[in-house]
Amino acid sequence: MKRALAVMGLALLLLAGCSTKMSYYFLDWAIEWELDDYVDLNRDQQKQFDAVLDEFIDWHRREELPRYVAQLESIKQQMQSGTLTPAAWAEEVNYAQSHWFRLFEHVFEGILPIVQSLSDEQVSGIIEQLRKEEAKLVAEYAGKTQEELIADSDERLTERAEKWIGKLSDKQKAMIHASNTSRLSTLDMWLEYRHEWLRQFETALNQRADTPLLRSRLQLLMTAPQTLKSEKHQQAVRENSENFGRLVMSIYRDLSDKQSKKLWHEYDALTKDLAELANEPD
């Protein structure tokens, strides 16, 4: 259930393929597919969920896609004018996260009765799957040296950047490495936070018969999860976000003409597709 909601919140990730419009048309299928990894709904639950999903996608297209377009246009303007500061980038990240909060708030009343109707067996299956994912993350990251973590991050960022701007120069790769080297380490705090989130999520599901308690716990976990992070963790996340903003602008200022052309071709195509989707008639 949590993953299905997360897919809603991260819908843009589904739009990063070769066809934004086609991906969006299959968004309902993708959410259903993700949900199946966590729980098998009975007939009544599935009917309720389908109704929530249909309404959500219609609302998301009309109300949320224009917000994404506006943010993309704002970031472009700041980048091209050279006014995108590290602090401004961090604020853009915070604003992007607020998109998720609105999504949860919109579907909350429709999802709540489905959560309350879950059987003990369904809840156990959800928690078991989430625990498996947590164990997989711990196995993947825990025990790695800082050098190994930096190398992994270098590889991921290089791959992502090349999807947008093409092959990176050695200088640009060095920028990524320098940025990752200067990042504050948050791995242990992040794993601890995820563990606490899962603990409280399990508690919420196990006490789902208490509607006020379930409501307050889920709203906290879905719309204010940062409150589960220590002040040190939150500050480190903010500093790392600003650090990434500096990297974005450093690479942007170093783009070749060919890279710049590819960047804005990809960027404008995404913005255009989202705008056209938002304006399609019902």
Side-chain angles (χ1 to χ4, degrees), residues 105-119:
E105 289 167 358
H106 185 79
V107 301
F108 184 72
E109 294 303 326
I111 292 294
L112 190 63
I114 302 175
V115 174
Q116 288 192 289
S117 74
L118 294 173
S119 67

Side-chain angles (χ1 to χ4, degrees), residues 8 21-22 38 42 49 67 90 105 115 118 128 150 155 170 183 191 199 207 218 225 249 266 269 281:
M8 294 180 183
K21 290 183 180 179
M22 186 61 70
Y38 291 82
N42 63 37
F49 184 80
R67 295 179 188 270
E105 289 167 358
V115 174
L118 294 173
E128 180 183 1
I150 290 173
E155 182 177 353
D170 289 342
R183 279 176 56 86
L191 292 175
R199 187 189 70 79
Q207 297 177 343
L218 287 184
M249 289 309 295
E266 300 285 350

Side-chain angles (χ1 to χ4, degrees), residues 27-86:
L27 182 59
D28 56 345
W29 175 85
I31 292 173
E32 292 276 10
W33 181 73
E34 290 286 347
L35 178 63
D36 288 343
D37 285 348
Y38 291 82
V39 61
D40 292 323
L41 299 180
N42 63 37
R43 182 177 299 178
D44 289 341
Q45 291 167 338
Q46 188 66 55
K47 185 176 179 179
Q48 286 180 281
F49 184 80
D50 288 344
V52 172
L53 182 57
D54 288 344
E55 191 280 334
F56 161 78
I57 292 177
D58 181 60
W59 166 83
H60 184 267
R61 179 177 58 80
R62 290 182 289 103
E63 301 293 333
E64 291 301 292
L65 291 187
R67 295 179 188 270
Y68 301 166
V69 171
Q71 185 173 19
L72 287 170
E73 290 176 341
S74 173
I75 293 173
K76 179 180 179 180
Q77 188 279 326
Q78 292 179 73
M79 290 180 69
Q80 292 186 334
S81 65
T83 59
L84 184 62
T85 64

Side-chain angles (χ1 to χ4, degrees), residues 1 21 58 78 80 91 100-101 124 138-139 145 179 191 197 209 211 214 230 243 250 275:
M1 182 67 67
K21 290 183 180 179
D58 181 60
Q78 292 179 73
Q80 292 186 334
E91 288 304 312
W100 151 248
F101 299 152
S124 294
V138 171
T145 66
S179 178
L191 292 175
W197 192 98
T211 302
L214 178 66
S230 66
N243 178 62
S250 294

Side-chain angles (χ1 to χ4, degrees), residues 226-240:
Q226 68 275 10
T227 61
L228 300 182
K229 298 176 182 178
S230 66
E231 294 221 359
K232 180 181 179 181
H233 189 185
Q234 293 185 54
Q235 181 59 34
V237 169
R238 172 75 186 198
E239 291 185 29
N240 285 341

